[in-house]
């Protein structure tokens, strides 16, 4: 049986159960998404966008799914103790693909701000969620988005009304928890009305050593004059597969920072699609990956300059050791009439061994004549002259290599606009380069991987 067929059969047999444990707004898009998944099937390497990651094989194992929404016996507030030091956050949890609301912290969010279970909020505020859900994430254009829309039953809804500023950063911990090989499909919907400001940190952790496959679709709407930061930090283990599609639409004079950091994983595929739909919109799109053993990290980005006077800046850096594989493919499209566009795309990579592989494909498509656009990519090794200089100053070769690798990725960390998180990332990255798993301090779940 093909990977596609087992999920086609599964949905056909469990559709009623899936709908029963979700919300009508989410269910309304499910059938069309299923039709699209049947039509497209999983992407193959013949698909230009997915040529560096063999998606179909990732779905072949017999994963368990919690379609009946059985309660997972874990209280994350008891086992997870890794708030970023010195950073006061509003802390929430997703267990697999369900928003954990059995016990919530006493977070006081500004009046009108909504943060909670997507399923529950779609029932409480159906017209609001319906206005945005599935509008950016087009199932007809991506089979994995179609798959997620078919099976997702819950996730997060984050809504910030006009001119409201959420001062306290919000932190979401995505916990993978299961006794058997397991799949989760979560959905995230983020809406900032005109003039709103917010910051969100999402961390992925695995509690058990079974194989996990998680799919995630994030839709972000940034209204006029909004300011939004989204940080994603992956610290799982080498039996975890993560597939994440993020769709962002920005209106005039909005400022958005997206920073995705992979510190420990198995196989990761991140897709980011940005549409700059209002003049003077500004996007900073950053990423960092540290991989060793046979880990695999694939980032694919598309930035659409649809109107004049917008700015985009991309910076992605990889450090690959052992037989790990990295991939970066980034396209910047400047449409006709999008004059005065400024765009810079940079991908820099270090392969520490001959066995490590990096594939990079930066692209520009420009259909306007008054623009400032550039792109560049390099793949190399550590600077031997710098290593030699440091060793002549009494620094061991191991320590010199660590210092150079840390300096290499530091400018990605420096884009973070939360000082406490930036400081914590410095510590985690140093631990990672020293051969330690990148663990948050005090996380009871991570002891198993010591």
């Amino acid at each position: 049986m093909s990977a596609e067929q087992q999920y086609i059969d599964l949905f056909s047999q469990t559709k009623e159960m899936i709908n029963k444990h979700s919300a009508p707004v989410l269910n309304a898009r499910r059938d069309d998404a299923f039709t699209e998944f049947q039509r497209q099937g999983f992407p193959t390497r013949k698909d230009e966008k997915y040529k560096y990651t063999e998606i179909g094989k990732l779905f072949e194992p017999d994963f368990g799914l919690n379609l009946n929404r059985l309660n997972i016996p874990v209280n994350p507030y008891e086992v997870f103790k890794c708030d970023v030091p010195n950073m006061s956050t509003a802390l929430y949890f997703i267990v697999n693909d369900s928003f954990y609301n059995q016990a919530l912290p006493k977070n006081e969010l500004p009046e009108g701000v909504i943060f909670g279970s997507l399923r529950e909020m779609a029932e409480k505020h159906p017209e609001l969620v319906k206005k945005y859900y599935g509008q950016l994430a087009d199932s007809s254009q991506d089979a994995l988005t179609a798959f997620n829309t078919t099976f997702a039953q819950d996730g997060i809804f984050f809504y910030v009304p006009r001119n409201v500023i959420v001062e306290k950063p919000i932190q979401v911990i995505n916990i993978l928890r299961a006794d058997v090989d397991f799949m989760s499909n979560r959905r995230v919907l983020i809406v900032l009305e005109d003039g709103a400001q917010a910051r969100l940190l999402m961390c992925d952790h695995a509690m058990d050593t079974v194989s996990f496959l998680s799919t995630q679709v994030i839709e972000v709407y940034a209204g006029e004059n909004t300011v939004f930061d989204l940080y994603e930090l992956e610290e799982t283990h080498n039996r975890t597969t993560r597939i994440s599609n993020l769709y962002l639409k920005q209106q005039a004079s909005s400022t958005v920072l997206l920073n995705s950091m992979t510190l420990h994983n198995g196989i990761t595929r991140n897709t980011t699609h940005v549409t700059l739909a209002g003049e003077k919109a500004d996007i900073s799109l950053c990423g960092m990956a540290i991989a060793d053993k046979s880990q695999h990290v694939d980032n694919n980005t598309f930035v659409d300059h649809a109107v004049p006077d917008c700015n985009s800046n991309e910076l992605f850096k990889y450090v690959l050791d052992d037989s790990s594989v990295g991939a970066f493919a980034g396209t910047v499209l400047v449409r006709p009439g999008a004059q005065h566009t400024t765009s810079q795309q940079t991908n820099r990579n270090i392969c520490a061994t001959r066995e490590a592989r990096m594939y990079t494909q930066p692209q520009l498509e420009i259909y306007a004549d008054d623009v400032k656009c550039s792109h560049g990519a390099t793949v190399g090794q550590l600077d031997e002259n710098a290593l030699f200089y440091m060793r002549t100053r009494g620094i061991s070769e191991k320590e010199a290599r660590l210092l150079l690798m840390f300096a290499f990725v530091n400018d990605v960390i420096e884009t973070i606009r939360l000082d406490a998180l930036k400081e914590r990332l410095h510590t985690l990255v140093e631990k990672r380069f020293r051969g330690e798993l990148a663990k948050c301090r005090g996380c009871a779940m991570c002891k198993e991987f010591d």
Side-chain angles (χ1 to χ4, degrees):
M1 180 186 297
S2 68
E4 291 89 353
Q5 192 59 49
Q6 67 171 317
Y7 293 104
I8 291 170
D9 293 345
L10 176 65
F11 181 76
S12 300
Q13 296 163 8
T14 61
K15 174 183 172 181
E16 184 176 338
M17 179 192 301
I18 292 171
N19 287 342
K20 177 182 177 181
H21 295 284
S22 190
V25 173
L26 279 65
N27 296 338
R29 294 204 168 263
R30 212 176 294 281
D31 285 344
D32 288 345
F34 178 59
T35 299
E36 284 298 332
F37 175 67
Q38 287 180 293
R39 180 180 68 85
Q40 298 175 60
F42 289 118
T44 69
R45 288 183 182 270
K46 294 180 180 179
D47 185 332
E48 181 70 17
K49 193 167 71 170
Y50 286 98
K51 68 180 182 179
Y52 300 119
T53 303
E54 195 164 355
I55 296 294
K57 279 194 172 182
L58 304 178
F59 287 82
E60 287 179 356
D62 184 16
F63 292 104
L65 290 90
N66 188 13
L67 301 180
N68 207 25
R69 317 314 284 173
L70 300 176
N71 185 37
I72 304 299
V74 60
N75 183 343
Y77 290 98
E78 293 181 357
V79 300
F80 198 90
K81 308 295 183 183
C82 59
D83 239 343
V84 178
N86 305 317
M87 186 173 78
S88 176
T89 62
L91 182 63
Y92 299 90
F93 290 90
I94 296 284
V95 179
N96 294 329
D97 47 17
S98 296
F99 188 87
Y100 186 84
N101 57 11
Q102 296 181 36
L104 291 174
K106 296 179 180 179
N107 294 318
E108 294 185 4
L109 298 175
E111 184 177 354
V113 173
I114 300 171
F115 192 94
S117 161
L118 177 60
R119 179 185 61 80
E120 291 185 5
M121 296 306 125
E123 292 176 342
K124 291 181 180 179
H125 310 279
E127 292 305 316
L128 180 59
V129 174
K130 181 181 178 181
K131 181 179 177 181
Y132 296 101
Y133 181 74
Q135 299 297 320
L136 291 182
D138 187 351
S139 294
S140 69
Q141 299 299 312
D142 188 276
L144 295 177
T145 294
F147 180 91
N148 177 276
T149 307
T150 299
F151 286 100
Q153 296 169 284
D154 196 10
I156 295 169
F157 180 51
F158 184 19
Y159 172 79
V160 186
R162 182 187 297 267
N163 296 325
V164 172
I165 299 175
V166 183
E167 296 283 358
K168 179 180 286 190
I170 293 178
Q171 184 177 8
V172 176
I173 310 298
N174 297 313
I175 295 176
L176 297 174
R177 167 73 179 97
D179 297 324
V180 297
D181 293 351
F182 193 83
M183 174 188 292
S184 66
N185 302 288
R186 60 179 174 262
R187 198 65 176 241
V188 180
L189 179 59
I190 301 168
V191 179
L192 281 77
E193 299 286 6
D194 296 351
Q197 297 184 27
R199 294 166 294 179
L200 176 63
L201 166 63
M202 299 179 67
C203 304
D204 284 8
H205 292 269
M207 186 172 175
D208 300 288
T209 55
V210 301
S211 294
F212 290 103
L213 190 157
S214 65
T215 76
Q216 172 179 266
V217 172
I218 304 175
E219 296 178 279
V220 182
Y221 295 82
E224 293 185 7
N225 298 299
T226 55
V227 179
F228 180 60
D229 294 1
L230 174 60
Y231 305 102
E232 292 189 272
L233 178 61
E234 184 179 9
E235 299 179 88
T236 54
H237 58 66
N238 58 13
R239 295 184 64 186
T240 299
T241 297
R242 165 192 159 102
I243 298 173
S244 178
N245 288 3
L246 187 154
Y247 300 87
L248 164 66
K249 186 174 183 179
Q250 293 183 234
Q251 299 300 335
S253 300
S254 58
T255 301
V256 175
L257 168 61
L258 303 177
N259 193 321
S260 176
M261 296 159 283
T262 302
L263 294 189
H264 203 278
N265 73 317
I267 298 173
T268 297
R269 161 66 192 218
N270 297 319
T271 301
T272 305
H273 191 292
V274 177
T275 302
L276 302 175
E279 294 187 10
K280 299 189 183 327
D282 183 280
I283 175 67
S284 295
L285 182 55
C286 307
M288 174 182 69
I290 301 171
D292 55 16
K293 303 180 180 66
S294 59
Q295 294 167 350
H296 180 107
V297 183
D298 180 358
N299 282 290
N300 185 287
T301 70
F302 184 91
V303 179
D304 183 353
H305 284 261
V307 297
D309 293 302
C310 292
N311 176 68
S312 65
N313 183 46
E314 292 185 66
L315 176 63
F316 282 80
K317 289 197 170 184
Y318 293 65
V319 178
L320 306 174
D321 205 347
D322 300 329
S323 58
S324 59
V325 176
F328 171 80
T331 300
V332 175
L333 170 63
V334 181
R335 294 187 181 274
Q339 305 294 354
H340 309 123
T341 287
T342 302
S343 177
Q344 182 175 354
Q345 183 188 86
T346 305
N347 175 225
R348 300 280 184 260
N349 312 285
I350 288 178
C351 291
T353 66
R354 292 182 179 275
E355 292 74 28
R357 292 289 181 269
M358 181 69 203
Y359 303 94
T360 180
Q361 188 180 14
Q363 300 177 78
L364 292 174
E365 294 184 34
I366 302 173
Y367 301 99
D369 54 13
D370 186 7
V371 301
K372 294 181 180 179
C373 298
S374 65
H375 66 188
T378 60
V379 180
Q381 297 179 321
L382 291 175
D383 188 334
E384 293 296 331
N385 291 328
L387 277 173
F388 176 76
Y389 176 82
M390 296 173 75
R391 295 191 67 188
T392 63
R393 296 300 185 271
I395 301 174
S396 69
E397 181 178 357
K398 180 179 179 180
E399 193 71 15
R401 287 183 176 276
L402 185 149
L403 291 172
L404 288 176
M405 289 189 294
F406 185 85
F408 178 75
V409 300
N410 190 57
D411 49 355
V412 177
I413 299 174
E414 287 300 312
T415 65
I416 295 172
R417 297 191 285 216
L418 290 170
D419 290 340
L421 177 59
K422 185 187 303 184
E423 180 180 341
R424 185 59 180 157
L425 258 296
H426 284 143
T427 301
L428 291 175
V429 169
E430 180 180 347
K431 288 175 64 178
R432 184 70 174 92
F433 282 138
R434 291 187 185 280
E436 305 174 24
L437 285 177
K439 299 188 270 297
C440 287
R441 185 183 65 176
C443 176
M445 296 186 302
C446 295
K447 291 179 180 178
E448 187 173 354
F449 306 114
D450 284 342

